[in-house]
Amino acid sequence: FPTYTVDLGYQRYDPLRSNMLHFSALDSQTSDLAMGINMNFQWTTPPFDASQDMAWYDTAVEPEDKRRIDRFTMAMAYGFVTRRFNVGASLRVYHVQDILRGNRTPVSADVGLTWWISPNVAIGVVGGNVVPTKLDEEPTTLAVGFATNLAGGIIWLEADGVIDFTSDDKVQVDTNAGGQITLFRQLNIRSGFASDSGFDQTYWSW
């Protein structure tokens, strides 16, 4: 559904003392050419136990293992055949500050397409970070997913499978699913599930 969207969010992953703040804006209403921006700021200070862990950096110079990665993305997509077929691409710039990896600014891109099989069901294919970033947390991926909406777009359900080519020595496959309900045409409430085969973990978000 063509729309204007502004999104602001915060996430916390306590085991790694990681915080993430993101902002995005999308315009798919003005024309068949949709455009959006996304800014994502993540800072992490993994816990250190001197009785169990070995410091791999000079604690006299840097008392804490501070890590930061920022992402700036600009995306656009064009809809064909009354927007049943949509082809899109994005350009992303990373800024990494890390004791181990130093300061780096890799650049990457995504490409993808969606096909609305019916007014309520869509499938999509996306190549993520098709220009390798050499960052374990930002791998090159191929994702296939579907989405459906109910009650005139008030409820959305989505699921996808992601093939991860670069974050480990072997190719991995992760699965994700989520849903959204819109209240009073203004307030979106979301919940999601994600698996991480690299760490053999699963996550819930809301």
Side-chain angles (χ1 to χ4, degrees), residues 1-6 25-35 77 79 82-86 114-122 147-158 180-182 185 188 190:
F1 293 92
T3 185
Y4 300 108
T5 302
V6 175
L26 168 69
D27 175 11
S28 61
Q29 179 75 43
T30 303
S31 71
D32 288 340
L33 179 64
M35 299 189 68
T82 62
R83 297 194 177 186
R84 288 191 62 189
F85 297 92
N86 300 273
T114 58
W115 173 33
W116 285 91
I117 302 172
S118 75
N120 299 315
V121 178
T148 183
N149 70 78
L150 308 171
I154 295 176
I155 299 173
W156 284 86
L157 300 174
E158 303 169 334
Q180 172 182 294
I181 183 170
T182 302
R185 298 185 179 182
N188 295 329
R190 300 170 181 160

Side-chain angles (χ1 to χ4, degrees), residues 172-203:
Q172 303 176 85
V173 179
D174 298 318
T175 56
N176 310 287
Q180 172 182 294
I181 183 170
T182 302
L183 303 178
F184 313 113
R185 298 185 179 182
Q186 299 290 332
L187 178 64
N188 295 329
I189 300 176
R190 300 170 181 160
S191 180
F193 162 87
S195 70
D196 189 333
S197 55
F199 291 94
D200 194 25
Q201 292 182 338
T202 56
Y203 306 91

Side-chain angles (χ1 to χ4, degrees), residues 57-197:
Y57 56 93
D58 188 351
T59 56
V61 176
E62 184 63 63
E64 290 187 302
D65 176 11
K66 296 180 180 179
R67 310 175 189 181
R68 177 165 176 170
I69 178 169
D70 302 326
R71 307 164 181 85
F72 304 91
T73 305
M74 178 172 288
M76 62 179 60
Y78 191 81
F80 299 90
V81 192
T82 62
R83 297 194 177 186
R84 288 191 62 189
F85 297 92
N86 300 273
V87 179
S90 66
L91 178 67
R92 183 178 302 105
V93 179
Y94 297 91
H95 180 63
V96 180
Q97 294 176 295
D98 191 305
I99 299 173
L100 179 63
R101 294 176 293 189
N103 294 348
R104 300 168 55 192
T105 310
V107 178
S108 192
D110 305 331
V111 293
L113 61 89
T114 58
W115 173 33
W116 285 91
I117 302 172
S118 75
N120 299 315
V121 178
I123 60 174
V125 179
V126 177
N129 287 322
V130 294
V131 179
T133 65
K134 298 182 180 180
L135 300 172
D136 292 342
E137 61 269 62
E138 297 293 338
T140 296
T141 60
L142 177 65
V144 179
F146 87 96
T148 183
N149 70 78
L150 308 171
I154 295 176
I155 299 173
W156 284 86
L157 300 174
E158 303 169 334
D160 62 65
V162 182
I163 304 173
D164 179 345
F165 295 100
T166 60
S167 65
D168 201 349
D169 293 335
K170 61 180 180 180
V171 175
Q172 303 176 85
V173 179
D174 298 318
T175 56
N176 310 287
Q180 172 182 294
I181 183 170
T182 302
L183 303 178
F184 313 113
R185 298 185 179 182
Q186 299 290 332
L187 178 64
N188 295 329
I189 300 176
R190 300 170 181 160
S191 180
F193 162 87
S195 70
D196 189 333
S197 55

